[in-house]
Amino acid sequence: MVFVPNGLKAVRALPEKDADRLTRVGPGEKLFGTGKTAPGVAPVGDTGWIEVFLPDDKTTGWIIAAEFSEAPDPTPRPLDEEFFVRSCLTVERELNSEPTVAPWYVAADFLIARALLETGLSAGGGDPSRPLGPLAMMPGEWEAFLASGIGPVAEFASSDRRLLTAQIFACACAASRTTKELSDAVSPGGDPDDGAYVPSYLDLFLAYIIDVPTAARLADPSLDKTQTLGAIGFSADTIAALAARSGLSNTKASSTVSAFLKNASETLARLLDAAFDRMKTLANDELPKGQGGVPPWLVIARSELDRPVSETVNADRLLTYFQTINFPVGGTVPHWCGAFVGFCVKTAGGPIPDGPARAANWKTWGNRSFPVGASEIPLGAVVVLKPQDPTTSGHVAFFEKFVENRKVRLLGGNQDDAVSEKEFSVTEIAAIRMQAQELPIGAANAFDMTKAEVRSEFQRYGDLIIERFKMAGFDTIHQLAAALANAIRESGLNPKAASKPPEKSYGLFQCNQTAGLGKGYSMAQLMDPEQNIALIIAEARRSRSFVSASTLEAAVEAFVKYVERPRDTTAEISVRLRIAKLLLGV
C-alpha cells in the first residue's frame, strides 16, 4: 500500500487531529502503509486514520485517509528484519500463554525459518488474494485465524491482513493448529495415559510443505522407508512441488523415503540455523539466558548415570523415580524418561510440571522456550522430542552438548532402557525449555528512583527495564535514563497499571491495544513486564533518532515523539526530561 497526499498534509504521532505533527509531505511524495488502521477506518475517502512509515525514518506516523489517495505499490518496501524477528518472538510469547494453545505451542524460530524458505525473509507479495508478506500467508490461514477465537483475534479486523503483526499471528496459529492435527493423526498405539503424541519440528515442516496426512504417515515408525516416494503414493504434482523447494530439488518419485527424510531434515536444520542467526544478531536480548554453570538437576542426573541404572541393573531405582514424583506404579514399570527428569529436578529443589511422568507435559516446564537452531543451549535444559518408541507420546531428557551433523547429546532415562547419554537429530526436537534469569537486582543502581518518586515495591521493574535495554544495545546513560523516565511517567513502574476507559493502555509503558504497540496483545500480556518491555524495545530499535541520540535531551525527545507518543508531546517532553534529570541527580 502506497499513499500520496492530496496537497501539503501532516503526518501525526497519533490518530488524532490535535496530536503532535511528526512531518509534512507534499504532492509527489509516497508513503508506505504499515497495514494498521485506527478504529472504524473505511476505504480511502473516509475520515479515518492510516498508519504509514515516515519518509526519512523506520518509524511510523498517522495520516487522515481522506487527505491521501492510494497508489499502486511501485516495489514492496524492504522488510524491517529486526522488527519482524522481534515480532515473531513476542507473538510466540503471547500465543503460548493462551490456555487454548497448550500444549500445541508456537516456536518463533520455526516461523522465521518459514519466512526464509518462502521469501528469503523479504517483504513478499502484497496482493491479499495471494500468498501475502514475508511468511507467504495464505488467504485460508487468515480466514482460519479470524474464526479461531484465540485471544488476540478479537483485536483484529478482516482488513488487518496487510498488517505484518496480524500475518505473524495468523501463521503462528496455523502452526499450532497443524501441530494438534498431526498429534491427532498419529496414533501412539500405546497406553492413552502416556499423553498426546508430540510432533517434532521435522513433522511440522513436512506437514507444512506437503500436508498433515502425509506427514503423519511419514512419522509412522512401521513405514518401510526403503520404499520409493512413488511407491507410497506421492503424486507427480507433489513431487514437482517439493522439487521446486530450495534444498529439495533432488526429490524424485524414485527417491527412497529414507533419502527424502534425510534431505528434508538437513534442509530444515539449515533453515533453523539461519533463523537462530537472525534471532541472535537482531534480538539477542530476547533470547533466554541460562544461569551459567551446571544446574543442580544435571548434577543429580550425572550421578544417576554413574551408578549405573538400567532396567536390568539397579532396576529398583526406577521405582524411586516414580515415588519421588508421586506417580503410583503397580506391576510393570511404565515408560520412565519423564519420571527420571522429574526425579532429578524435584530432588534439586526445582519445580516440576503437572503429570511429570509424561514427556509431553515437560513442554510447559520452566519460564522460557529456546530455539532449536540455537548454538548455545544451556547445560541441563529440558529437551522434549518426538517419540522414539511408537507406544509413547514423546521423549524427554537433559541437554549436554552439540555434536557433529546437527545432533544433540542428551542425558536421560529410558534411553536404550537405561540412564544414558544418547545423540538425537535436532529436527526430532519438539521443544527446549529452561529457567530464564530472575528479575535482575541492582541493574538500575546508577539511577535514583526514590528521588523520581517510584514506590519501593516497583523499583525492581526499573532494574528490569535497564537490564533489558542494555541487552538490546542501548548502553548510553542518556538512552537508559530516557527509557526509565518514560516508564515512570506512564505507570510509576507498576506493571499492572491500566488507563482510564475508554482508552485501553496497559503495563509499564502503557502500550495501547487500539492503535498502538499493544494491538493484538491481551491485557494480561501487556501487564507482563517482559512482554511490555519487549514491544517498546522493538519500537525503540526502529527509531534512528533514539538509537543515535547523543544527549539526554535528544534521547528524551526522540523516545517521547517516536516511541511512547503521548498526546501532548511538547509538554510531555518537558515532564519526562525533568524525571530523567532526577534519576541522574542533575
Side-chain angles (χ1 to χ4, degrees):
M1 299 171 291
V2 173
F3 299 93
V4 179
N6 305 323
L8 187 63
K9 302 298 179 184
V11 182
R12 300 195 177 275
L14 295 169
E16 300 171 3
K17 288 186 178 181
D18 58 352
D20 185 55
R21 188 183 68 229
L22 299 178
T23 188
R24 278 197 179 103
V25 291
E29 293 190 75
K30 295 180 178 179
L31 301 177
F32 284 89
T34 69
K36 187 184 291 185
T37 57
V41 169
V44 173
D46 190 73
T47 56
W49 294 83
I50 298 171
E51 190 184 46
V52 294
F53 289 99
L54 270 61
D56 59 347
D57 206 347
K58 294 195 296 181
T59 51
T60 59
W62 292 86
I63 60 174
I64 297 175
E67 295 180 347
F68 286 73
S69 299
E70 188 169 2
D73 291 7
T75 56
R77 176 183 170 86
L79 180 69
D80 183 340
E81 285 194 15
E82 179 176 341
F83 183 73
F84 174 75
V85 168
R86 288 182 179 275
S87 296
C88 286
L89 287 160
T90 55
V91 166
E92 173 196 272
R93 189 183 299 156
E94 158 74 347
L95 284 184
N96 289 350
S97 70
E98 287 287 326
T100 55
V101 170
W104 319 114
Y105 295 116
V106 175
D109 52 334
F110 187 85
L111 294 175
I112 298 167
R114 169 176 165 171
L116 287 164
L117 174 72
E118 294 291 5
T119 65
L121 214 59
S122 71
D127 181 353
S129 66
R130 301 175 63 82
L132 183 64
L135 287 156
M137 181 190 74
M138 298 296 291
E141 290 179 309
W142 177 246
E143 296 304 321
F145 169 60
L146 291 181
S148 68
I150 290 176
V153 74
E155 305 300 328
F156 294 106
S158 59
S159 59
D160 284 332
R161 62 190 182 280
R162 283 178 162 174
L163 178 62
L164 180 60
T165 305
Q167 295 168 21
I168 297 171
F169 268 115
C171 292
C173 284
S176 175
R177 186 170 57 253
T178 298
T179 303
K180 184 180 187 308
E181 290 172 353
L182 262 171
S183 183
D184 291 341
V186 179
S187 173
D191 184 353
D193 288 338
D194 199 46
Y197 174 84
V198 181
S200 67
Y201 273 60
L202 181 58
D203 292 333
L204 185 58
F205 181 64
L206 294 171
Y208 175 70
I209 62 174
I210 311 174
D211 56 49
V212 169
T214 302
R217 187 178 181 196
L218 292 171
D220 183 351
S222 66
L223 176 66
D224 180 0
K225 294 180 175 56
T226 64
Q227 297 181 87
T228 66
L229 298 182
I232 67 168
F234 274 47
S235 69
D237 288 344
T238 298
I239 297 291
L242 289 169
R245 293 278 190 187
S246 175
L248 299 174
S249 58
N250 60 351
T251 304
K252 302 182 177 71
S254 59
S255 302
T256 64
V257 172
S258 60
F260 169 69
L261 290 176
K262 181 175 183 294
N263 193 15
S265 180
E266 292 171 347
T267 299
L268 174 59
R270 286 193 295 270
L271 289 169
L272 291 170
D273 285 348
F276 178 70
D277 285 344
R278 296 302 206 287
M279 294 164 72
K280 187 174 181 181
T281 302
L282 301 173
N284 188 49
D285 54 292
E286 275 288 288
L287 296 178
K289 304 296 187 292
Q291 302 291 344
V294 181
W297 51 81
L298 187 59
V299 173
I300 292 169
R302 287 174 175 176
S303 69
E304 294 298 303
L305 176 67
D306 292 338
R307 275 182 181 268
V309 177
S310 73
E311 293 182 8
T312 56
V313 178
N314 287 330
D316 289 347
R317 190 68 176 165
L318 306 187
L319 298 178
T320 301
Y321 299 158
F322 284 100
Q323 289 166 359
T324 301
I325 63 170
N326 298 317
F327 187 98
V329 175
T332 305
V333 175
H335 301 289
W336 51 279
C337 62
F340 173 76
V341 171
F343 163 81
C344 295
V345 173
K346 187 172 182 179
T347 303
I352 60 175
D354 293 337
R358 298 176 184 171
N361 292 343
W362 285 91
K363 290 183 74 174
T364 65
W365 181 78
N367 54 17
R368 292 293 295 275
S369 62
F370 210 82
V372 168
S375 57
E376 299 174 0
I377 297 173
L379 276 173
V382 168
V383 180
V384 183
L385 298 98
K386 66 180 294 182
Q388 308 302 305
D389 180 327
T391 64
T392 68
S393 66
H395 181 62
V396 61
F398 297 115
F399 176 80
E400 278 281 11
K401 64 184 291 187
F402 275 100
V403 292
E404 294 180 354
N405 300 320
R406 294 189 174 88
K407 290 186 176 181
V408 290
R409 181 172 297 163
L410 304 182
L411 170 54
N414 207 19
Q415 294 183 163
D416 297 325
D417 299 329
V419 173
S420 67
E421 291 184 330
K422 190 172 182 178
E423 296 174 4
F424 301 88
S425 169
V426 296
T427 55
E428 293 182 26
I429 294 173
I432 303 173
R433 298 291 299 179
M434 62 173 296
Q435 289 287 146
Q437 291 175 334
E438 299 297 327
L439 283 175
I441 302 298
N445 282 349
F447 305 96
D448 192 339
M449 288 187 280
T450 300
K451 186 174 288 186
E453 300 182 355
V454 178
R455 289 163 54 179
S456 59
E457 66 264 35
F458 296 143
Q459 291 188 10
R460 60 188 177 132
Y461 297 107
D463 290 326
L464 183 63
I465 290 169
I466 296 302
E467 178 77 8
R468 294 297 179 259
F469 268 78
K470 282 182 177 179
M471 291 170 63
F474 297 110
D475 52 8
T476 65
I477 196 72
H478 50 265
Q479 288 173 326
L480 298 173
L484 186 55
N486 270 271
I488 291 171
R489 175 62 172 169
E490 290 292 333
S491 68
L493 300 191
N494 177 3
K496 303 300 183 185
S499 60
K500 294 181 180 179
E503 184 181 337
K504 298 166 67 178
S505 297
Y506 306 101
L508 289 173
F509 287 93
Q510 291 291 279
C511 295
N512 186 278
Q513 283 183 323
T514 304
L517 301 180
K519 186 175 178 64
Y521 297 90
S522 68
M523 180 179 69
Q525 276 297 308
L526 295 178
M527 288 182 174
D528 173 0
E530 292 278 9
Q531 182 80 307
N532 200 282
I533 295 170
L535 291 170
I536 285 289
I537 285 176
E539 191 71 6
R541 293 286 304 169
R542 297 174 75 179
S543 172
R544 292 180 181 138
S545 300
F546 183 66
V547 169
S548 63
S550 58
T551 66
L552 179 63
E553 290 76 12
V556 171
E557 180 178 353
F559 201 99
V560 173
K561 288 181 68 174
Y562 299 115
V563 183
E564 194 62 65
R565 306 187 189 201
R567 281 189 170 82
D568 189 348
T569 305
T570 303
E572 287 298 327
I573 289 173
S574 176
V575 172
R576 294 166 201 232
L577 181 59
R578 179 182 63 79
I579 296 173
K581 289 181 176 180
L582 287 173
L583 290 167
L584 294 172
V586 298

